[in-house]
Amino acid sequence: MGKSLVIVESPSKAKTINKFLGKEFKVLASVGHVRDLPKKELGVDVDRGFEPKYITIRGKGKVLAEIRSAAQRADAIYLAPDFDREGEAIAWHIAGLLENKGKEIYRVVFNEITQKAITEAFRNPGRIDQNRVDAQQARRILDRIVGYKISPLLWDKVRRGLSAGRVQSVAVRLVCDREVEIQAFKPQEYWSITAELQAKEPPVFEAKLLKISGKKAEVPNQEKAQGILDKIKGKDFRVSAIEKKQKKKNPVAPYTTSKLQMDASRKLGFSARKTMMIAQKLYEGLSVGSEGSVGLITYMRTDSTRVSEDALTEVRGLIQERFGKEYLPNAPRQYAKGKGAQDAHEAIRPTSSLRDPESIRQYLDHDGFRLYQLIWNRFVASQMNPAIMDTISVDIQVNEFTFRATGSAIRFKGFMTLYMEETETEGGSEEGDKFLPPLQEGELLQLSQIVPGQHFTQPPPRYTEATLVKDLEEKGIGRPSTYAAILSTIQDRAYTEIREKRFHPTPLGVLVNRLLVENFPDILNVEFTAKMEGELDRVEEGTSNWKELLQIFYDKFAKDLETARVNMRDVKKELEDTDIICEKCGKKMVIKWGYNGEFIACSAFPECKNTKDFLRDESGQIQIMQVEKADEKCPECKAEMVVKQGKFGRFLACTRYPECKTTRRLVQGENGKMTTAPEEKTDEICDKCGKPMAVKHGRYGKFIGCSAYPQCKNIKPLSIGVSCPAEGCGGFVVQKIFKGRTFYGCSRYPDCRFNSKQRPMNEPCPACGSPYLIERFRKEGETYHKDIGCPNKNCEYAREIEEAAPKD
């Protein structure tokens, strides 16, 4: 009797599952998708019911040959990719390649990679869910049509290499719209008045002005504030009312994908992409001592808060044993299903709550431990009793003015023993206790001091990764599995950039967003995009036909596309005349568009290369930006330095450019003013002068230079975080530039001559075991595409990164 063949999508997942299934099964990995739409053409026949043209993904020939060979010898075939749309599509494509082998093909699904879950899944195998496959096909084709049809238009009208995405472009719009709100915001002045008071017993405490003659206190300016202070001066502060309450604070649900990404961003400083990469490893399985390889968390792409009965029983036993009966509710906590949640999977939780973080810390790397601990703490806390808070509110009367002091104390920590929730928007602990002295109604208080404070209303904050994910989820844009890809893509395409942990639209992003909003109002409409997500859900449920959905979308889109070809601004050709005369050659200057936005250039270009930055006032009139001189001299030639705007923000440049090319980065200081970026010192000592080396920034990125510059001009390349793959070398890979071309080499050159034209990645090849992979640019037709592949010429391993369909 032959073995049964099991096919999963990940080598690490294959290793873990193989341990549970035993010798009767052979487990192989497809290493992601095996078939996809071609890159060189649309790959969708819109005139024949949107029939897709699938081809084998480059580099998957060897993988498929091994799968076919194993299938020929197998008694049965079990397809076990992830239980979502992308996993279903992978299973469907593989089944299509194997259906002529005359073997039974089953579909097995599970929520966690544990012995019990795997055994149960293989005991009750099912079949491929065609509705889920169709939902994935519809999403892939929608994204392909939008990207393939709009991107060339942007190439023609703006510049080559630009691209558009059905969901990503809406995310860019959110960032751009927020920036418009910020720029249009007009701050309003207001004042607060805080009294520092002392009772019969310590401590001294603060009370803030709350009401004037029983109405909410409004103090718009200093004059009104001073008037209040004059009326209060010398008057008695007397306790008028005391209200004591006992408040319960309930725990929050275990993690969904979006909530995990938000919390990991706020608490751990992880990007959404990093969070999902670490979670993927925890889910697929890691070696944990005598247990061997085991999945540590449940499936990490979910919008459900549901938890299995077995998991609830286990965690309740843990809570009672470890924390005590007072921490355990009478019945398991159930959490409401979120709006639009698909509920296909459980919430993200440990596969066993008995596997506490400290017990497996030695088997996890630093970041893996921190994320697992976050997941474990929140899950266990979600099934604990509420925290109980004693709160006190004290009103203090001075003539017609009412001041209020509040305080709180934790009577019973409950779930807060393990997990403290932070605010959904800007972070910050919910605890924030303030203790008040014993007080009685009618008690006279002594005024220590009274402090007026000037404040200004603030504009809405720019998005962080956490708040952008929150907004995407609330608006129904994308799905749990796509958030990380969306955030990465809008940065990779240079439409947004993160500065000081917040998203800023680039001038390119603002321009492209404006063009798309003007010409494709549906595609860039938040409600429309959310509605499409709902339609895809209905396809998966079997209540909507995927081809009819595509046809309805395409009929409108095709008309918008034809109109845009005629009406979209041709930014490439735009030259807006001005009345400004070039002071260098006497010709008129014109407005052009460049990478960093609009600028004024001489019409005699290229003979005259004079340019100027400008702003438009509220009436649209041009205001030339005056050169902003700096307070420091060029460290190289002692000439004056001026402030300029570049691709990476404002910087100082020498006025003797191009003879002197000295620049200094500018960053925003604590007082809100721009200041030169402090040097980031390293532990390395300059081998020429003995001073510390520092991380510096140049036109080609970061490098290490002597902190004694310009007296010492010693520089060295900076590690890209990859050890040199040459056997026994011990060096590290650095980025180098020769004759304007970037390449990567060993830090120990010339002793080690390792070099690569493509950027190495600190990741072994899952196919041949090469110690590293590379990011590659390869030409297909007239365009270049980026992927990740193996440097070994005899290995065909490759995976797409730009065009890969997002997991769903």
Side-chain angles (χ1 to χ4, degrees), residues 40-276:
K40 297 180 183 179
E41 56 183 291
L42 178 62
V44 179
D45 192 337
V46 296
D47 296 323
R48 296 187 178 182
F50 298 91
E51 196 63 33
K53 175 186 176 183
Y54 292 116
I55 62 170
T56 299
I57 294 173
R58 185 176 180 271
K60 291 299 175 72
K62 187 176 180 180
V63 173
L64 288 177
E66 185 180 7
I67 289 175
R68 285 193 182 98
S69 176
Q72 194 67 46
R73 300 188 300 271
D75 290 333
I77 299 167
Y78 294 86
L79 303 175
D82 289 343
F83 182 39
D84 57 17
R85 292 175 190 166
E86 294 301 318
E88 208 72 20
I90 292 171
W92 180 66
H93 282 301
I94 293 173
L97 296 169
L98 300 180
E99 61 187 1
N100 60 348
K101 301 297 181 183
K103 309 293 173 64
E104 284 291 334
I105 299 178
Y106 300 101
R107 175 79 165 109
V108 288
V109 296
F110 36 83
N111 187 56
E112 59 188 63
I113 304 177
T114 58
Q115 181 73 64
K116 181 177 180 181
I118 298 301
T119 302
E120 182 66 24
F122 278 82
R123 187 181 294 127
N124 300 287
R127 301 291 180 178
I128 290 173
D129 185 337
Q130 191 60 44
N131 290 332
R132 186 171 283 118
V133 172
D134 289 343
Q136 188 275 342
Q137 289 194 95
R139 173 187 287 280
R140 186 73 182 103
I141 292 171
L142 278 170
D143 292 343
R144 169 53 68 95
I145 289 172
V146 171
Y148 211 88
K149 295 288 188 179
I150 296 181
S151 298
L153 191 60
L154 294 176
W155 284 40
D156 291 339
K157 305 287 188 177
V158 185
R159 79 168 195 217
R160 292 180 63 82
L162 297 182
S163 58
R166 183 180 62 87
V167 178
Q168 293 90 339
S169 293
V170 178
V172 174
R173 180 176 187 176
L174 292 180
V175 176
C176 290
D177 286 352
R178 177 62 57 88
E179 194 67 23
V180 170
E181 290 180 59
I182 292 170
Q183 298 305 325
F185 182 82
K186 294 190 185 327
Q188 299 292 320
E189 180 183 11
Y190 69 97
W191 286 67
S192 64
I193 297 178
T194 305
E196 192 175 278
L197 301 166
Q198 190 170 352
K200 295 175 184 177
E201 297 183 32
V204 174
F205 65 98
E206 290 183 349
K208 290 192 174 183
L209 178 64
L210 179 71
K211 295 179 180 180
I212 301 175
S213 300
K215 296 181 180 179
K216 181 182 177 182
E218 294 183 356
V219 188
N221 51 48
Q222 186 176 12
E223 184 181 358
K224 180 72 178 288
Q226 188 59 50
I228 294 171
L229 295 179
D230 292 341
K231 290 183 179 180
I232 287 175
K233 189 175 181 179
K235 303 300 182 183
D236 289 341
F237 282 74
R238 194 177 298 277
V239 176
S240 59
I242 299 175
E243 184 178 17
K244 295 180 179 179
K245 287 183 179 179
Q246 195 172 89
K247 183 176 69 174
K248 285 186 177 182
K249 183 172 177 60
N250 289 314
V252 289
Y255 283 124
T256 59
T257 302
S258 61
K259 294 297 189 292
L260 177 63
Q261 290 173 356
M262 292 179 214
D263 238 15
S265 174
R266 286 190 292 258
K267 293 175 180 286
L268 308 180
F270 290 176
S271 67
R273 173 181 280 181
K274 180 175 181 177
T275 298
M276 296 309 289

Side-chain angles (χ1 to χ4, degrees), residues 650-800:
R650 302 178 80 194
F651 66 97
L652 292 184
C654 181
T655 52
R656 290 187 62 246
Y657 178 87
E659 290 78 15
C660 177
K661 298 180 179 178
T662 302
T663 61
R664 296 281 299 275
R665 280 199 316 142
L666 286 175
V667 295
Q668 191 168 19
E670 293 181 1
N671 60 0
K673 294 183 178 180
M674 301 302 289
T675 181
T676 51
E679 285 190 335
E680 184 182 337
K681 297 288 179 62
T682 71
D683 295 330
E684 188 174 348
I685 301 299
C686 176
D687 53 11
K688 292 187 177 181
C689 72
K691 296 289 179 67
M693 299 289 279
V695 177
K696 296 177 179 284
H697 296 255
R699 63 180 299 185
Y700 299 112
K702 292 183 179 180
F703 64 95
I704 295 178
C706 183
S707 59
Y709 178 86
Q711 288 75 30
C712 178
K713 298 180 180 179
N714 187 20
I715 64 171
K716 293 183 178 181
L718 187 67
S719 170
I720 66 168
V722 179
S723 300
C724 178
E727 188 173 352
C729 171
F732 54 84
V733 179
V734 298
Q735 179 178 308
K736 298 184 177 183
I737 297 169
F738 181 69
K739 292 184 177 180
R741 293 183 178 273
T742 300
F743 70 99
Y744 302 88
C746 180
S747 60
R748 294 185 63 248
Y749 178 86
D751 295 327
C752 176
R753 294 182 175 269
F754 166 80
N755 70 83
S756 171
K757 292 181 180 179
Q758 313 286 10
R759 185 183 182 92
M761 297 177 60
N762 216 1
E763 181 182 342
C765 176
C768 74
S770 167
Y772 70 104
L773 296 174
I774 54 175
E775 291 182 359
R776 310 182 301 190
F777 281 92
R778 52 190 175 81
K779 190 173 184 180
E780 291 189 358
E782 296 300 316
T783 61
Y784 284 88
H785 297 285
K786 191 176 180 183
D787 71 1
I788 293 172
C790 182
N792 184 353
K793 294 181 180 179
N794 297 319
C795 178
E796 295 184 349
Y797 174 76
R799 70 172 186 263
E800 305 295 339

Side-chain angles (χ1 to χ4, degrees), residues 385-434:
N385 267 327
I388 300 176
M389 317 284 289
D390 286 334
T391 63
I392 182 171
S393 175
V394 180
D395 284 355
I396 300 150
Q397 203 68 32
V398 193
N399 289 353
E400 71 266 35
F401 304 105
T402 304
F403 286 73
R404 177 167 291 176
T406 58
S408 65
I410 300 175
R411 178 181 289 270
F412 173 65
K413 289 197 77 170
F415 79 94
M416 290 168 64
T417 304
L418 280 179
Y419 180 82
M420 289 290 294
E421 188 182 14
E422 293 187 351
T423 59
E424 288 290 315
T425 53
E426 297 303 303
S429 172
E430 293 273 332
E431 200 167 9
D433 300 331
K434 291 180 181 178

